């Protein structure tokens, strides 16, 4: 059962109000990756989890303030955008389901993945540093 | 960063590695840690050599990709535990 939309709306907005593209369906994810297949792209698997609020979302936004970053950033929401989430997860089948998490793509191919445990107990600054290190792969 | 459940221990809500005095190692989301042991949700267990992998190799894979939650809930008594660490603190080789 999805979370009430009015509950997750502010959590979505924290990213989408800052330039992250919302991808609510599998088709939207496919189109996003197709549109950016010649560039680098990142998809944030957002969630209601406390570590998403305290570490992942603010850390992701902080990481995007740097020069080296993905050319395009999209987001899907665990528990609500069910098909979109399933499609994103299918692109990296060796990764167990994990949210929040971050998927990075270069020329349409997955090149990096950041699972939930990296965000747990973290601070925005430490998350941003971890992500910036991953951006070097893009 | 703390949680709202200060009575459950500092690792509450975090994914931890529990090394034991035997062959097994566990990964799971820590619910509660007490002097009596640790309670994990959504856990996995690996034994040295299982599936042709050492515990160290299993943990390296989990550090990179996460772990499969094959066990819904498990309690591990303190007498069987040799070390508890956050999975995030495991360095990837």
């Amino acid at each position: 059962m999805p979370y009430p939309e009015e509950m997750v709306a502010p959590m979505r907005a924290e990213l989408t109000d800052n330039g992250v593209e919302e991808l609510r369906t599998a088709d939207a994810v496919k189109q996003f990756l197709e549109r950016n297949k010649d560039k680098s792209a990142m998809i944030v698997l957002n969630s209601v989890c406390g570590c998403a609020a305290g570490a992942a979302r603010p850390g992701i936004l902080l990481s995007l303030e740097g020069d080296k970053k993905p050319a395009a950033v999209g987001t899907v929401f665990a528990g609500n955008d069910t098909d979109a989430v399933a499609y994103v997860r299918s692109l990296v089948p060796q990764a167990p389901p994990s949210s929040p998490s971050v998927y990075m793509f270069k020329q349409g191919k997955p090149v990096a993945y950041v699972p939930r445990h990296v965000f747990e107990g973290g601070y925005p600054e430490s998350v941003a540093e971890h992500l910036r290190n991953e951006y070097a792969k893009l | 960063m703390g949680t709202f459940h200060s009575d459950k221990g500092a690792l509450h809500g975090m994914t931890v590695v529990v090394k034991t005095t035997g062959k097994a190692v566990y990964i799971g989301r820590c619910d509660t840690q007490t002097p009596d042991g640790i309670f994990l949700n959504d856990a996995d267990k690996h034994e040295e050599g299982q599936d042709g992998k050492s515990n160290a190799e299993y943990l390296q894979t989990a550090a990179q990709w996460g772990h499969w939650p094959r066990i819904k809930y498990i309690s591990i008594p303190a007498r069987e535990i040799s070390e508890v660490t956050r999975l995030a603190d495991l360095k990837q080789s």
Side-chain angles (χ1 to χ4, degrees), chain A residues 54 92-97 113 115-118 120-123, chain B residues 1 13-15 29 62-69 86-88:
Chain A
V92 185
Q94 65 271 46
Y113 171 69
R116 168 194 157 119
H117 66 258
V118 172
E120 292 169 346
Y123 292 87
Chain B
M1 183 172 292
M14 296 188 194
T15 304
R29 192 158 35 82
Q64 183 175 6
W65 300 108
H67 73 287
W68 292 96
R86 296 191 328 144
L87 180 58

Side-chain angles (χ1 to χ4, degrees), chain B residues 19-76:
Chain B
K19 293 182 178 174
T20 70
T21 54
K23 288 183 175 178
V25 63
Y26 297 86
I27 299 176
R29 192 158 35 82
C30 178
D31 180 282
T32 310
Q33 186 177 23
T34 73
D36 294 329
I38 193 163
F39 302 84
L40 304 179
N41 293 315
D42 298 327
D44 193 20
K45 176 185 179 183
H46 185 271
E47 292 199 347
E48 188 69 31
Q50 182 183 330
D51 302 326
K53 277 188 177 178
S54 67
N55 282 349
E57 289 169 327
Y58 166 78
L59 292 175
Q60 278 298 315
T61 302
Q64 183 175 6
W65 300 108
H67 73 287
W68 292 96
R70 296 180 172 94
I71 304 168
K72 188 70 186 159
Y73 184 82
I74 191 166
S75 164
I76 307 161

